[in-house]
Amino acid sequence: MTSQTAPPPVEDERRTPRRQLPRLVVGGRDVTSGVGFVVALVLLVVLAAVTTENFLTEQNLTNLLRQMVTVGLLAYGMLVVILTAGIDLSVGSVVAFSGIVSAGLVADLPIPLALAVGVAAGIGFGLVNGLLIAGFDLAPFVVTLAALTTIRGLAFVYSEVPIAPEDPGFFTLGTALAGPIPVPTLIMIGVFVVGGIFLTRTPAGRAIVAIGGNRETVRLAGISVKKHLVLAYTISGTCAGLAGVILASRVGIAQPSVGVAFELDAIAACVIGGASLAGGRGSVRATLGGVIVLSLINNLLNLHGVQSFWQQVLKGLIIIAVIIVQRRSMGERA
Amino acid sequence: MTLRIRGVRKSFGQVEVLHGIDLLAEKGEVLAVVGANGAGKSTLIKILAGAQPASEGELWLDGERLDLRSPHDAHEAGIRTVYQELTLVPELTVTENLLIGSLPRRAGLIDWAAAHRRAQELLDELGFGAVRATTKAGRLSVARQQMVEIAKALVSEPKVLVLDEPSAVLAGSDLDSLFALVRRLQERGVIVIYISHRLAEVAALANSIVVIRDGTVVATTTPAETDESELIALMAGRRLERIYPDRRPAAGDTVLSVRGLTRAGEFEDVSFELRAGEIVGLFGLVGAGRSELAHCLFGDTRPDGGSVRLDGAELQPDGPRAAIRSGLALVTEDRKRTGIVASMTVRDNIALATMRATMRGPLIDGARQGARVAGMVRRFDIRPAHSAAMRIDRLSGGNQQKAILAKWLLAGPRVLILDEPTRGVDMATRVDIYRTVDELARSGCTVLLISSDLTEVIGATDRVLVMHDGRIAGELDSAGATEDQVLARSIGEAAA
Ligand SMILES: Nc1ncnc2c1ncn2[C@@H]1O[C@H](COP(=O)(O)OP(=O)(O)OP(=O)(O)O)[C@@H](O)[C@H]1O
Ligand SMILES: [Mg+2]
């Protein structure tokens, strides 16, 4: 009943197997993690250096280093949360609140204490987010969206007008230099180094990564999912608080309206770095790469004097392009 | 109609796992594919299912060369596949899982009544009437989910049906329904590719048998020409002298004592004792409440009544964490949902339950953890040998199972509960697992072995508890027990 068509002998030359580079796994070997970024970075730097006069000036580079601190700190916290398959939309509002509170307190408190209170506010907000999400089993998107408006509101309640402390000591944290490198940049790098070790080498960090992969398995392995979720959001809140205080100190004026849509940049940095919003996958190093790429794009567009609305359009398109290149180089299925 | 696979090769990165496979199946033929864990069976059928492209080679069906670029292409060509791992959407009803894409409509809206009716008819016709179409898939037992998976492949009759270890989670009458179904399909001229580690059923069902070892076909034979021990030898590349270890010496003192344990709707008035150094089997049909009992013992669910005592002290149901501290361990039956963290490496998975065992200050001592994991990879012969740094979902199903066992062995449990630990595990590996469990028992650990495999539940244990309908329906000494005795109690026929 069958046509016994003998299939022709196999002649076509060996098809080379599709290139499949290992993915970026926290703790896994990141042999290939560089490739995508190095290409993107080199392209951006060359582009910037060739098409603008000011890119390679000391002033611009210092500026670049300073500007990446906010998104950098937010991105690390965001990564921790994304690894658990969550999201933290409230970080932009926390930046505003922490900044304005510390600026406001400078009049009454010693400066270090005022700054510490700003960071502590971030810790507190993160803790509340985490407790709501883990304790009541609420969706992270919903909880942190509610936190976004609540905390923004609180910032305006604290002060409707920007606060610019007169004490020059307030600016020290944000503007100090260590050699050629801004101190805030060093703080950010410190957060990434310690944060990287935390995620790859401590039981709590590994638990956070594992929860995003399969929380049932983690729970049955005797690890408290709730506790680690709270920890993850607290870390994100802490980073946001720190970012807010540093930002206020750098620009010297704290505005209740600052930080709108910062969460999106932070998420973009993680995703450019290969993190999966489904959780369990993401790399600290690659996220830092994402932060640098994002900052370079901003800087480039600024130097070219691109009008700000067009900047947003271009940035969006460039982010998509970078992500596509990045995914390809990681051998992700199209 | 002929299905012909020619010279199929498959590489992942630099590693080639299929080295030129040739297969031939005629209309109405049941072709069994057997091989050890990691031999490449699932990889082969994923190629046939259009889920992964072959690196090289050809597929021919009905005289036409197939170019399968996606599962959709395979469906169009009449090839349907039931994967080894469950793929149902747990939040959707059985009906939706079955008919998604072809839900009946009336006036543009989904006609739910008609949809449920059609789904139920399909299930009934296939002999899976025990599954209700209106249930959410995630609420079904693994066995029932497997039935839905099979039904899904048969919504429209395929030319080729590929079943990757369909029987691994089925037992008793469910298994009979499956066999009857395969025979009916065969009569209707469907080509059935049947992958299984259970050689007895392979012998009963198949017209021909293909043995794959390390990505190469090492034998093509028929049930008449071969026997189990030859197949096992072909698969393993070595002869296995015996499957089950010797019986252990008389057990020690009572370790775990369960009294009147009850959880409404799951199990009722369950009492038994486990002694040190003993392996106790727990047999029962699907729905008898075995896994539910296991989760309850592990503190994962709270009982409505009764008590569990460990060394005489009452065990509080305070969650898995407390249970593990007291020395309990549970290997769950659903590898994908509750066994592995798919996005992590084999190493992370094996170390998951014991991360704090290798600390240096606040950090995990990578070298020590790595050494412990490497020891387990060697002990269980988890393949490939360099798999510690691989993502666990890149391993074959049987090797994933070994990694999960390794995870719990590292925790050094006093009472180890194994829920279907040899599901999807090849013969040679099973023997390794039986030996490991035996060694554990001899060193004083108590093992509760839940299994739907009659031979195993008698052969590998000292005693067998039989559950029927949520109750303990009997207890037998493994030494004298027969499969019929166990089975009779599991369907509530004989008194203990
Ligand atoms: N995505 C992947 N990346 C790398 N290696 C893979 C991948 N998928 C499978 N492999 C490897 O291919 C080999 C064959 O695996 P396969 O799943 O086909 O085995 P199997 O015969 O089905 O085994 P089992 O009986 O355990 O299910 C294994 O060594 C496995 O580790
Ligand atoms: Mg398989």
Side-chain angles (χ1 to χ4, degrees), chain A residues 1-2 4-5 7-8 14-15 23 197 201-203 206 209-210 213-214 216-217 219-223, chain B residues 1-2 4 6 55-56 60 300 321 324 336-340 343-344 348 355 359 363-364 391 408:
Chain A
M1 74 214 123
T2 22
Q4 286 275 0
T5 339
R14 288 198 169 197
R15 253 191 278 160
R23 289 173 174 180
I197 292 172
R201 301 227 17 225
T202 67
R206 295 319 286 157
V209 179
N214 186 341
E216 265 310 282
T217 301
R219 196 175 61 79
L220 291 172
I223 297 167
Chain B
M1 188 174 62
T2 312
R4 189 189 281 269
R6 279 185 55 115
S55 309
E56 203 178 294
W60 291 75
D300 189 26
R321 192 182 168 76
I324 293 167
K336 194 169 153 193
R337 290 222 179 106
T338 55
I340 60 167
S343 56
M344 295 183 106
D348 278 324
M355 286 192 292
M359 299 297 284
L363 299 184
I364 296 170
R391 259 178 74 141
W408 288 111

Side-chain angles (χ1 to χ4, degrees), chain A:
Chain A
M1 74 214 123
T2 22
S3 48
Q4 286 275 0
T5 339
V10 192
E11 267 169 11
D12 40 340
E13 343 163 3
R14 288 198 169 197
R15 253 191 278 160
T16 38
R18 224 198 286 161
R19 240 163 94 77
Q20 284 208 336
L21 300 174
R23 289 173 174 180
L24 300 168
V25 181
V26 176
R29 238 157 274 169
D30 282 9
V31 209
T32 57
S33 73
V35 182
F37 294 123
V38 173
V39 173
L41 284 182
V42 169
L43 278 178
L44 279 170
V45 169
V46 169
L47 194 68
V50 171
T51 60
T52 68
E53 286 178 0
N54 299 336
F55 179 73
L56 287 177
T57 60
E58 191 184 323
Q59 196 203 346
N60 182 55
L61 291 179
T62 317
N63 233 342
L64 183 62
L65 286 178
R66 278 208 187 100
Q67 275 164 359
M68 70 175 60
V69 170
T70 310
V71 62
L73 288 171
L74 296 183
Y76 175 75
M78 189 66 73
L79 175 68
V80 173
V81 167
I82 285 178
L83 280 169
T84 69
I87 195 90
D88 187 350
L89 300 177
S90 69
V91 292
S93 300
V94 174
V95 165
F97 187 90
S98 294
I100 201 143
V101 163
S102 54
L105 288 177
V106 165
D108 311 318
L109 293 177
I111 287 166
L113 205 57
L115 299 181
V117 171
V119 179
I123 298 177
F125 287 132
L127 187 67
V128 171
N129 277 338
L131 288 173
L132 287 171
I133 289 164
F136 294 93
D137 203 14
L138 300 176
F141 190 95
V142 178
V143 170
T144 59
L145 187 62
L148 177 150
T149 84
T150 310
I151 300 168
R152 174 71 60 193
L154 288 174
F156 277 101
V157 168
Y158 186 83
S159 169
E160 257 174 74
V161 292
I163 302 177
E166 276 163 19
D167 189 334
F170 183 71
F171 312 129
T172 315
L173 176 66
T175 53
L177 285 169
I181 315 256
V183 168
T185 311
L186 291 178
I187 295 178
M188 179 195 82
I189 290 171
V191 165
F192 271 85
V193 170
V194 174
I197 292 172
F198 168 73
L199 282 174
T200 51
R201 301 227 17 225
T202 67
R206 295 319 286 157
I208 282 174
V209 179
I211 285 170
N214 186 341
R215 62 169 73 188
E216 265 310 282
T217 301
V218 172
R219 196 175 61 79
L220 291 172
I223 297 167
S224 165
V225 171
K226 291 193 167 147
K227 202 179 85 185
H228 288 98
L229 282 180
V230 173
L231 178 62
Y233 286 91
T234 307
I235 289 174
S236 178
T238 309
C239 289
L242 192 59
V245 169
I246 291 176
L247 181 66
S249 162
R250 170 162 69 87
V251 294
I253 179 166
Q255 305 195 30
S257 59
V258 79
V260 172
F262 276 14
E263 64 279 357
L264 299 183
D265 277 355
I267 296 168
C270 295
V271 174
I272 291 175
S276 157
L277 292 181
R281 197 156 58 83
S283 146
V284 174
R285 248 201 288 172
T287 299
L288 183 57
V291 169
I292 297 173
V293 167
L294 217 54
S295 308
L296 274 173
I297 295 173
N298 273 334
N299 189 248
L300 185 63
L301 294 175
N302 273 333
L303 290 178
H304 277 289
V306 178
Q307 194 218 335
S308 80
F309 296 127
W310 276 111
Q311 277 201 17
Q312 291 179 16
V313 174
L314 282 174
K315 203 164 94 181
L317 295 177
I318 294 173
I319 288 174
I320 293 290
V322 172
I323 291 172
I324 290 174
V325 171
Q326 190 54 22
R327 289 283 140 115
R328 277 285 165 80
S329 81
M330 289 193 299
E332 186 124 326
R333 254 178 257 163

Side-chain angles (χ1 to χ4, degrees), chain B residues 44-359:
Chain B
L44 180 66
I45 69 114
K46 278 181 197 148
I47 291 170
L48 198 54
Q52 283 179 354
S55 309
E56 203 178 294
E58 303 171 2
L59 306 175
W60 291 75
L61 180 62
D62 228 354
E64 273 181 54
R65 174 146 183 201
L66 303 177
D67 180 19
L68 307 179
R69 289 162 191 271
S70 69
H72 182 74
D73 291 351
H75 293 176
E76 296 279 290
I79 302 174
R80 281 289 180 158
T81 307
V82 176
Y83 293 103
Q84 187 173 5
E85 310 291 348
L86 298 169
T87 60
L88 300 179
V89 183
E91 292 80 19
L92 296 185
T93 60
V94 170
T95 301
E96 288 163 286
N97 271 291
L98 285 178
L99 303 180
I100 208 155
S102 62
L103 285 162
R105 282 160 197 270
R106 208 168 51 188
L109 299 175
I110 294 169
D111 182 350
W112 284 111
H116 288 315
R117 215 177 317 118
R118 227 176 90 195
Q120 195 63 54
E121 275 166 20
L122 177 69
L123 290 163
D124 292 346
E125 188 196 314
L126 296 174
F128 300 150
V131 181
R132 309 279 12 125
T134 46
T135 326
K136 280 200 174 144
R139 311 200 58 150
L140 296 173
S141 68
V142 180
R144 301 236 155 113
Q145 290 188 33
Q146 178 69 283
M147 295 176 193
V148 179
E149 293 275 2
I150 295 170
K152 198 170 138 191
L154 295 171
V155 170
S156 58
E157 185 155 307
K159 292 183 191 162
V160 179
L161 176 66
V162 185
L163 299 169
D164 195 353
E165 301 193 28
S167 60
V169 300
L170 301 178
S173 62
D174 297 334
L175 212 49
D176 296 337
S177 317
L178 173 68
F179 296 164
L181 175 64
V182 169
R183 294 212 177 87
R184 278 207 305 280
L185 291 170
Q186 181 181 19
E187 274 159 27
R188 297 214 289 256
V190 178
I191 296 175
V192 181
I193 312 269
Y194 194 95
I195 297 179
S196 177
H197 288 294
R198 298 189 181 175
L199 298 178
E201 72 189 37
V202 164
L205 274 180
N207 302 104
S208 48
I209 304 173
V210 167
V211 185
I212 298 184
R213 184 168 74 226
D214 295 336
T216 315
V217 174
V218 291
T220 307
T221 175
T222 64
E225 289 167 32
T226 186
D227 60 24
E228 240 180 78
S229 68
E230 188 191 27
L231 282 177
I232 293 172
L234 281 168
M235 282 159 54
R238 65 183 155 109
R239 286 223 161 251
L240 297 172
E241 278 114 56
R242 45 210 302 254
I243 295 177
Y244 301 110
D246 286 331
R247 307 244 170 241
R248 286 141 298 276
D253 299 333
T254 298
V255 176
L256 193 80
S257 126
V258 180
R259 284 277 154 266
L261 206 64
T262 301
R263 215 175 118 79
E266 293 185 349
F267 49 85
E268 227 181 301
D269 195 20
V270 169
S271 302
F272 60 88
E273 293 191 342
L274 302 180
R275 292 191 291 272
E278 135 181 274
I279 304 178
V280 177
L282 182 59
F283 182 83
L285 300 183
V286 172
R290 297 166 304 162
S291 300
E292 290 79 2
L293 176 63
H295 277 267
C296 188
L297 290 177
F298 193 56
D300 189 26
T301 55
R302 286 176 170 277
D304 297 325
S307 68
V308 182
R309 287 172 175 277
L310 186 69
D311 293 328
E314 186 139 349
L315 211 59
Q316 297 304 325
D318 277 341
R321 192 182 168 76
I324 293 167
R325 277 223 198 92
S326 317
L328 263 63
L330 169 67
V331 173
T332 58
E333 69 172 334
D334 190 342
R335 186 160 59 220
K336 194 169 153 193
R337 290 222 179 106
T338 55
I340 60 167
V341 180
S343 56
M344 295 183 106
T345 61
V346 170
R347 172 178 169 164
D348 278 324
N349 272 279
I350 292 182
L352 189 65
T354 49
M355 286 192 292
R356 293 193 181 276
T358 49
M359 299 297 284

